[in-house]
């Protein structure tokens, strides 16, 4: 099935698949291609409307009978770390950050495989090979960076171990954490939390107001950690709003809770991609 707007990108809907976050439910995505000279503007505009990027595709959950997945972002100016998060920063103070162009390496892939095999062995990416990994990192039509985190070298000039990596898009209003992975053996270091905290610091330094975290899903243990960050906003009902009490966001699952696809597409605000 295809839905479109006049002189606009074409929007499609995926076939239902088992939901990776909530047992017994199915997921469906609304998506469009991200390509051409207007890719940057489209990525910026749709990210502000709850879409996420995967390679050269922008997508947003559009499940037939559930609205649980909510896009989440942190307001950088209002964020203050908790005592626990300050301890995370202290525990990882030895890590050194470098930002590079989106280019995949064997070292990254080895870390990625250790992360998947330990943390997400039954996930949808479990069988990803090095070529698919390279495509995930390198196939980007927008401004992206690979941000690596390494241990401090014991001696000058020695090779430092790669501890964590994040593929990050640079939007006009923030940083979007597309995908991150890290050393699974360093459980006590809370590296997933650290990567978010460091991205908040990066955004603060360059004057970007938001850090986009992907989707928060009420009731999902996999996504629950995102609600631990202060100044968190969720995209709900067509607008960004403060998350407030996370427990108050009950998911709508009745047959009328989701608008028809054509209505969803009609409400999408597209950028003016004309040159000049």
């Amino acid at each position: 099935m295809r839905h479109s707007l006049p002189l606009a990108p074409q929007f499609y809907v995926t076939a239902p698949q088992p939901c990776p976050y909530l047992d017994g439910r199915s997921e469906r995505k609304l998506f469009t291609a991200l390509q051409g000279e207007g890719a940057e503007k489209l990525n910026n505009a749709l990210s502000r409307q709850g879409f996420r990027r995967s390679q050269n595709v922008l997508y947003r959950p559009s499940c037939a009978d559930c609205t649980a997945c909510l896009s989440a972002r942190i307001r950088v100016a209002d964020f203050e770390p908790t005592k626990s998060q300050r301890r995370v920063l202290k525990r990882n103070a030895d890590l050194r950050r470098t930002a590079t162009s989106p280019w995949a390496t064997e070292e990254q892939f080895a870390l990625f495989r250790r992360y998947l095999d330990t943390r997400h062995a039954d996930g949808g990416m479990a069988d990803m090979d090095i070529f698919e990994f390279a495509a995930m990192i390198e196939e980007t039509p927008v401004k992206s960076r690979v941000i690596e985190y390494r241990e401090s070298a014991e001696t000058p000039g020695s090779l430092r171990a790669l501890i964590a990596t994040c593929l990050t898009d640079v939007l006009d209003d923030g940083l979007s954490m597309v995908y991150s992975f890290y050393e699974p053996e360093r459980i006590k270091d809370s590296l997933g939390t650290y990567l978010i905290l460091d991205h908040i610091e990066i955004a603060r330094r360059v004057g970007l107001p938001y850090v986009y975290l992907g989707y928060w899903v009420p009731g999902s243990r996999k996504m629950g950690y995102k609600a631990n960050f202060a100044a968190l906003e969720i995209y709900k009902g067509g607008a960004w709003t403060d998350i407030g009490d996370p427990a108050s966001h009950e998911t709508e699952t009745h047959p009328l809770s989701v608008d028809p696809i054509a209505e969803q597409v009609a409400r999408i605000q597209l950028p003016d991609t004309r040159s000049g």
Side-chain angles (χ1 to χ4, degrees):
M1 181 180 297
R2 183 180 71 187
H3 302 273
S4 64
L5 293 173
L7 302 178
Q10 303 297 304
F11 286 85
Y12 304 84
V13 181
T14 63
Q17 298 180 5
C19 178
Y21 305 120
L22 299 174
D23 293 337
R25 301 190 189 178
S26 297
E27 72 165 357
R28 188 180 66 176
K29 294 184 176 70
L30 176 68
F31 70 97
T32 188
L34 185 64
Q35 58 190 3
E37 296 180 357
E40 289 278 0
K41 289 184 177 180
L42 187 63
N43 191 36
N44 288 325
L46 267 60
S47 293
R48 290 193 290 269
Q49 297 172 73
F51 281 77
R52 294 284 289 170
R53 184 184 72 82
S54 177
Q55 295 174 234
N56 59 355
V57 168
L58 287 170
Y59 70 92
R60 187 173 72 184
S62 180
C63 302
D65 56 2
C66 180
T67 57
C69 294
L70 301 169
S71 189
R73 70 184 186 186
I74 295 170
R75 295 190 308 274
V76 172
D78 298 329
F79 175 80
E80 290 292 340
T82 63
K83 289 183 179 179
S84 175
Q85 289 166 350
R86 287 196 290 270
R87 289 194 293 269
V88 171
L89 289 169
K90 186 176 181 179
R91 284 199 299 271
N92 293 284
D94 65 310
L95 297 184
R96 297 294 177 264
R97 176 210 319 132
T98 57
T100 67
S101 59
W103 186 258
T105 67
E106 292 185 3
E107 184 183 26
Q108 292 169 6
F109 181 68
L111 176 61
F112 174 75
R113 286 301 337 165
R114 291 197 302 274
Y115 172 78
L116 284 186
D117 293 343
T118 303
R119 301 290 297 270
H120 302 287
D122 58 348
M125 304 172 73
D127 296 328
M128 185 178 287
D129 60 27
I130 191 169
F131 301 105
E132 294 167 319
F133 173 78
M136 179 181 74
I137 298 293
E138 298 173 8
E139 290 185 9
T140 170
V142 298
K143 186 177 181 180
S144 303
R145 295 290 183 270
V146 170
I147 303 181
E148 296 183 339
Y149 297 83
R150 296 178 179 274
E151 291 181 330
S152 298
E154 295 182 1
T155 58
S158 63
L159 183 64
R160 298 174 292 170
L162 180 65
I163 301 301
T165 302
C166 186
L167 175 62
T168 303
D169 285 353
V170 183
L171 307 176
D172 61 0
D173 70 344
L175 300 177
S176 178
M177 300 178 70
V178 177
Y179 191 79
S180 61
F181 51 95
Y182 44 84
E183 182 56 64
E185 293 184 357
R186 293 181 58 152
I187 297 176
K188 294 182 179 180
D189 293 336
S190 302
L191 288 168
T193 294
Y194 174 73
L195 294 183
I196 295 175
L197 294 172
D198 192 61
H199 273 69
I200 294 171
E201 177 59 23
I202 297 172
R204 194 191 309 274
R205 290 186 181 183
V206 298
L208 292 173
Y210 301 107
V211 172
Y212 288 81
L213 303 182
Y215 294 106
W216 173 67
V217 185
S220 170
R221 294 182 60 185
K222 293 180 180 179
M223 295 295 179
Y225 69 94
K226 296 179 183 180
N228 296 329
F229 288 84
L232 189 72
E233 297 181 346
I234 54 174
Y235 190 76
K236 188 174 185 179
W240 290 97
T241 182
D242 192 277
I243 190 172
D245 179 7
S248 68
H249 298 282
E250 297 183 0
T251 60
E252 297 288 349
T253 58
H254 60 75
L256 301 180
S257 63
V258 181
D259 294 328
I261 296 295
E263 292 183 16
Q264 295 181 41
V265 173
R267 288 197 296 269
I268 294 173
Q269 298 179 23
L270 295 169
D272 183 356
T273 57
R274 293 172 297 182
S275 60

